Amino acid sequence: MTATKKNYGFATKSVHAGEEPDFRDGATGDVVVPIHLATTFARKKVNEPTAGYEYTRSLNPTRKALETKLAALENAAYGLAFSSGLAAETTLLLSLLKSGDHIIAFDDLYGGTKRLFNHIFNEYDIAASFVDLTDAALLNDAIQPNTKLVWLESPSNPLLKVSDIQAIAAIAHAHNLLLVVDNTFLSPYFQQPLTLGADIVVHSSTKYIGGHSDVLGGSVLLNDETLYNRIQYRQNAVGAVLSPFDSYLTLRGIKTLALRMERHQENALKIAHFLQQHPKVKRVLYPGLPTHPQYDLARKQTSGSGGVLSFEIHGSINDAEQFLERLELFALAESLGGVESLIELPAAMTHASVAKEVREQIGITDTLIRISVGVEDTDDLIADLQQALA
Ligand code: P1T
């Protein structure tokens, strides 16, 4: 039995799944999957592609190794890798929806995902309603005869709101709706939504999965074979696939996912405690703090709280900008999930594409700051925050 199929633990699968050495005649037994750069694969007979490979957009051995590893980590039967998180989302939506359909989405989502719903799919007569699904019962009220899909992030970007995946899956399935969970913030190391009842998981693998801020990517993981075939057909037909080199970088990043997530979380909790007692800080949002409104739910459905936290400072947007520009170690940058600490102002950066009224209504104020805590020495990170807040 291969490492991919065996019931190994998470860290073992991170290293080995999808990457068993090849011992076939003439193969070299590489312990790392080679980067197969060929865009096309020669065959000896017209109707017999070599080992199933024809053209890299359709199937590539390095990408396939990554898809296999990702599926193993999310406890999924199938995985597909795309050129970005948004490419994964777009291909998935094109596979599941047609004109006239309706999506119920969580009210707090990455700004780019909202933009995709509101400004791209909306033009094809696919509407989205945004609902605060931290109250699962609100899903019932939002369902329309043409609703097909429920889409959520838990914890959400940037407010770190946690939704009850099991309860939402039960309501969704009672109405024949599919539940998609964007698991980018926790990675499969801390949360496995398919095990909690979700139908499909999506990732921006640009974040924790890649882990080093040097590779853009997205993925879709699921168990249903018919749906997988539909999505795979569109992965090839639309063509937003992950390149062989980017697949390799992502495979390389995943091998330390368990180690990194532990350290991200340890640092994030210490920083959350530091910020919580600071007089210039109004509130701290982190699911690992007992003050978080869904702390008990987070303990129940996840095995950890990850490395992203948000906090609000007293004062104006100018005070927030001054604080951010004074930091020396934190990079003032969008994105998250890399080994280096990043900090940003969602209202002006990652969520600038969300209308100001909507931002204010859901709590993305002008002084809300989001941190992606890296794996540096915590004392250095806290000292930097301390001097910039002072
Ligand atoms: O950037 P891309 O790989 O296309 O992934 C989009 C995406 C999807 N889902 C979530 C939860 C995300 O956070 C993102 C990207 N987010 C940022 C760039 C950010 O700074 O929040």
Side-chain angles (χ1 to χ4, degrees):
M1 189 181 257
T2 64
T4 306
K5 302 231 174 64
K6 240 182 182 168
N7 198 20
Y8 284 131
F10 189 92
T12 308
K13 288 195 280 189
S14 304
V15 176
H16 293 286
E19 294 196 82
E20 287 87 15
D22 187 350
F23 293 125
R24 286 172 302 184
D25 271 355
T28 47
D30 306 44
V31 298
V32 171
V33 159
I35 310 174
H36 291 265
L37 291 172
T39 51
T40 191
F41 302 89
R43 58 181 88 188
K44 284 195 168 151
K45 293 196 166 164
V46 169
N47 291 315
E48 284 178 26
T50 310
Y53 293 100
E54 299 176 7
Y55 187 64
T56 274
R57 170 160 38 72
S58 321
L59 195 62
N60 170 279
T62 316
R63 192 177 82 227
K64 189 175 171 211
L66 172 64
E67 293 176 338
T68 305
K69 195 187 284 291
L70 286 168
L73 296 183
E74 280 287 3
N75 282 322
Y78 306 104
L80 300 120
F82 299 87
S83 55
S84 71
L86 287 176
E89 295 181 14
T90 301
T91 310
L92 176 61
L93 292 165
L94 290 171
S95 309
L96 302 179
L97 302 173
K98 58 180 177 5
S99 290
D101 287 345
H102 172 244
I103 305 167
I104 298 173
F106 195 47
D107 64 352
D108 188 38
L109 293 179
Y110 169 56
T113 302
K114 281 195 168 175
R115 182 175 55 202
L116 189 62
F117 292 155
N118 287 333
H119 298 289
I120 306 295
F121 280 90
N122 195 43
E123 293 208 340
Y124 297 88
D125 192 27
I126 293 170
S129 306
F130 295 92
V131 180
D132 181 1
L133 294 174
T134 55
D135 180 355
L138 293 180
L139 178 57
N140 285 304
D141 307 334
I143 295 171
Q144 301 177 11
N146 58 342
T147 306
K148 292 284 155 59
L149 201 67
V150 180
W151 187 290
L152 59 88
E153 290 174 8
S154 182
S156 61
N157 183 358
L159 294 169
L160 286 307
K161 296 203 281 185
V162 176
S163 300
D164 188 334
I165 296 173
Q166 254 170 332
I168 292 169
I171 299 171
H173 294 158
H175 293 86
N176 276 323
L177 313 179
L178 290 170
L179 173 61
V180 177
V181 176
D182 182 333
N183 201 26
T184 298
F185 266 38
L186 289 184
S187 88
Y189 181 67
F190 283 135
Q191 174 170 269
Q192 291 165 6
L194 297 179
T195 313
L196 295 166
D199 301 289
I200 300 168
V201 164
V202 298
H203 279 283
S204 167
S205 56
T206 315
K207 310 298 178 331
Y208 289 107
I209 287 176
H212 297 76
S213 304
D214 57 3
V215 58
L216 205 63
S219 56
V220 172
L221 295 313
L222 74 168
N223 284 316
D224 185 287
E225 188 181 358
T226 310
L227 271 182
Y228 167 70
N229 288 332
R230 269 186 79 79
I231 303 164
Q232 193 190 35
Y233 182 85
R234 282 154 186 79
Q235 180 191 38
N236 175 51
V238 174
V241 294
L242 196 66
S243 76
F245 189 68
D246 289 348
S247 298
Y248 162 76
L249 281 178
T250 311
L251 280 163
R252 180 179 163 109
I254 293 176
K255 288 171 195 173
T256 55
L257 182 61
L259 301 169
R260 287 186 283 109
M261 292 314 290
E262 287 293 344
R263 179 60 177 244
H264 283 298
Q265 163 163 271
E266 189 188 319
N267 280 357
L269 191 60
K270 285 185 189 155
I271 288 177
H273 284 139
F274 161 76
L275 290 170
Q276 224 176 10
Q277 53 72 46
H278 199 285
K280 290 195 176 151
V281 174
K282 209 195 250 176
R283 60 176 183 144
V284 181
L285 308 173
Y286 181 61
L289 289 175
T291 48
H292 188 280
Q294 293 98 35
Y295 177 77
D296 292 334
L297 171 62
R299 300 278 73 69
K300 196 182 86 176
Q301 75 181 10
T302 71
S303 57
S305 306
V308 181
L309 60 91
S310 294
F311 64 105
E312 226 179 304
I313 59 164
H314 292 291
S316 65
I317 189 156
N318 289 337
D319 296 312
E321 285 173 9
Q322 261 188 39
F323 160 68
L324 291 169
E325 289 165 11
R326 273 186 198 158
L327 288 159
E328 289 165 6
L329 189 52
F330 284 82
L332 176 52
E334 303 198 3
S335 202
L336 57 104
V339 290
E340 60 291 291
S341 292
L342 305 178
I343 196 158
E344 64 112 9
L345 195 63
M349 296 170 68
T350 51
H351 293 69
S353 65
V354 178
K356 189 169 168 64
E357 323 79 79
V358 177
R359 285 201 308 263
E360 277 168 5
Q361 200 187 326
I362 65 174
I364 305 177
T365 64
D366 284 350
T367 58
L368 182 86
I369 292 163
R370 189 190 75 188
I371 298 184
S372 169
V373 182
V375 301
E376 300 95 333
D377 290 301
T378 335
D379 291 348
D380 293 334
L381 295 173
I382 290 179
D384 195 27
L385 293 169
Q386 179 98 56
Q387 65 77 20
L389 280 168

